[in-house]
Amino acid sequence: MNRMARVAVLMAEGYEEGETLTIVDLLRRAGIECHTFSFDNEFVKGMHNMYVQADKMFGKEVQEYDMIVLPGGRPGGANLRNNPDVIALLQYFNEHHKYIAAMCSGTIALAEAQVITGKKVTGYTGYAEKLVDGEFVDDVVVFDQNIVTSQGPATPYPFAFKIMEVFQQDVTEMKERLMYNFAGGK
């Protein structure tokens, strides 16, 4: 890409803190412009009662980004799925062949928006029956067409690395700097 990739991470109340903050941290380390967006309040309460200040409030600006990311969490994933603005945004991104990434319970919003039909996806344990429009694959991270999905709270590192690769970044040096390979990551 000629310009820096831009990624919008959506933070609904009940987001999974470890997933969300790790994704943002890794993408920013990679030089990808990454902003968090909240819906109702500047400070968003996470699944484990941590309040984090979002970079921006959700609005039309998100459509200008190259990728949207939906982290999981309880009830974060359900709150994303139940938000008609999120569903409309997912459909807009899919129709315009932009990238969509979701992990853990955030993947249920993809099923609600009907953007995974005929695409390989993964999600949290037991989500094969929740992501029935897609072809469920039991892999840590799955990338098919414009959709990146991942399984759960232990997977934001490989998920973020896959996002970097989608934007044509070599992740070898990043993995070395973070000691990812030393820690047993693949």
Side-chain angles (χ1 to χ4, degrees), residues 11-55:
M11 292 173 56
E13 185 170 325
Y15 67 93
E16 214 307 332
E17 294 96 337
E19 292 171 5
T20 308
L21 299 178
T22 300
I23 294 162
V24 173
D25 174 58
L26 292 174
L27 295 181
R28 287 181 180 177
R29 285 176 192 247
I32 294 172
E33 188 178 339
C34 181
H35 296 112
T36 55
F37 286 84
S38 66
F39 296 93
D40 300 315
N41 300 303
E42 183 180 356
F43 286 88
V44 187
K45 181 181 177 183
M47 182 174 162
H48 303 288
N49 298 317
M50 293 181 208
Y51 286 83
V52 173
Q53 183 178 13
D55 298 314

Side-chain angles (χ1 to χ4, degrees), residues 42-112:
E42 183 180 356
F43 286 88
V44 187
K45 181 181 177 183
M47 182 174 162
H48 303 288
N49 298 317
M50 293 181 208
Y51 286 83
V52 173
Q53 183 178 13
D55 298 314
K56 301 177 179 211
M57 294 302 290
F58 182 85
K60 279 225 176 266
E61 174 190 3
V62 179
Q63 290 182 349
E64 300 168 15
Y65 281 69
D66 302 299
M67 175 184 278
I68 51 173
V69 176
L70 284 65
R74 287 186 313 271
N79 286 338
L80 290 169
R81 178 198 61 207
N82 298 336
N83 185 326
D85 293 331
V86 171
I87 300 307
L89 181 68
L90 288 168
Q91 292 167 342
Y92 173 86
F93 266 65
N94 197 54
E95 290 164 9
H96 289 84
H97 310 289
K98 291 182 158 204
Y99 295 114
I100 299 169
M103 68 178 304
C104 198
S105 66
T107 57
I108 60 175
L110 305 183
E112 181 71 22

Side-chain angles (χ1 to χ4, degrees), residues 108-124:
I108 60 175
L110 305 183
E112 181 71 22
Q114 300 178 336
V115 297
I116 58 173
T117 303
K119 297 175 184 174
K120 292 179 179 159
V121 294
T122 194
Y124 192 67

